[in-house]
């Protein structure tokens, strides 16, 4: 898939392209047209139940960062627990997310450094919620393996599959 007309992007910085070292070299050719897949328009907290959990893993924080930055204009329908899982400090945007959460009583931000706190699991998320799991929406964006494990655990914990939307960001 190519963008039409082709757009040319400058070479990326030496760091900051995530966990895709084999693709980073391929994508960094100056003048090479690139495209990305996603977002696809179905990832919208307004479509969820009143009480929600947002789970971001690494660069998967991007859609949630947008939602948090626009929270005054587009508030969630009820209470939100945002879990941001990362490895090592400092986590990008953690200070901004925490500040937005502190200013909005409907949102609680949970920073999970897997190097210190261990992996984020569905059991941990469900234990931290006082909401009946059948009335809870869980939005996911992050590494594929993490999302598969969480989806399976959330379904086993009583979350309906239709209440577990996830966003896809794919390099093409």
């Amino acid at each position: 898939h190519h963008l039409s007309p082709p757009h040319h992007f400058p070479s990326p910085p030496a760091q900051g392209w995530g966990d895709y070292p084999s693709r980073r070299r391929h994508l960094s050719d100056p003048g090479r047209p690139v495209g990305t897949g996603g977002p696809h328009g179905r990832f919208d907290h307004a479509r969820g139940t009143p009480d929600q959990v947002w789970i971001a893993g690494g660069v998967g924080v991007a859609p949630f960062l947008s939602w948090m930055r626009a929270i005054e204009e587009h508030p969630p329908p009820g209470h939100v627990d945002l879990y941001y899982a990362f490895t090592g400090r400092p986590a990008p945007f953690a200070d901004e997310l925490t500040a937005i959460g502190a200013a909005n009583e409907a949102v609680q931000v949970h920073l999970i450094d897997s190097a210190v706190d261990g992996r984020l699991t569905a059991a941990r998320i469900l234990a931290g919620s006082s909401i009946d799991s059948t009335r809870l929406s869980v939005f996911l964006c992050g590494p594929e393996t993490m999302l598969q494990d969480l989806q399976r655990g959330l379904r086993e914990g009583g979350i309906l599959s239709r209440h577990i939307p996830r966003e896809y960001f794919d390099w093409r």
Side-chain angles (χ1 to χ4, degrees), residues 31-54:
R32 181 183 194 98
V34 297
T36 60
H40 302 286
R42 294 180 304 270
F43 200 66
D44 180 358
H45 67 73
R47 296 178 176 209
T49 59
D51 294 303
Q52 302 179 2
V53 173
W54 301 348

Side-chain angles (χ1 to χ4, degrees), residues 8-146:
H8 298 283
F9 298 95
S11 295
Q15 295 180 351
W17 277 74
D19 297 325
Y20 303 99
S22 63
R23 295 182 184 182
R24 188 181 315 154
R25 183 171 51 281
H26 171 73
L27 290 173
S28 65
D29 297 338
R32 181 183 194 98
V34 297
T36 60
H40 302 286
R42 294 180 304 270
F43 200 66
D44 180 358
H45 67 73
R47 296 178 176 209
T49 59
D51 294 303
Q52 302 179 2
V53 173
W54 301 348
I55 302 173
V59 297
V61 74
F64 303 111
L65 180 62
S66 294
W67 292 358
M68 292 288 281
R69 287 176 174 170
I71 204 159
E72 295 301 321
E73 297 84 18
H74 304 285
H79 179 78
V80 170
D81 281 296
L82 168 61
Y83 288 86
Y84 179 17
F86 57 92
T87 302
R89 298 214 183 255
F93 308 107
D95 291 340
E96 181 180 358
L97 292 168
T98 301
I100 294 169
N104 190 311
E105 64 185 42
V107 179
Q108 185 171 359
V109 176
H110 309 269
L111 302 176
I112 311 296
D113 181 349
S114 60
V116 175
D117 305 314
R119 289 182 343 128
L120 182 60
T121 65
R124 184 179 194 174
I125 293 161
L126 293 172
S129 176
S130 60
I131 307 300
D132 174 7
S133 62
T134 61
R135 296 184 13 239
L136 189 66
S137 290
V138 181
F139 292 83
L140 303 166
C141 189
E144 182 70 22
T145 306
M146 174 186 166

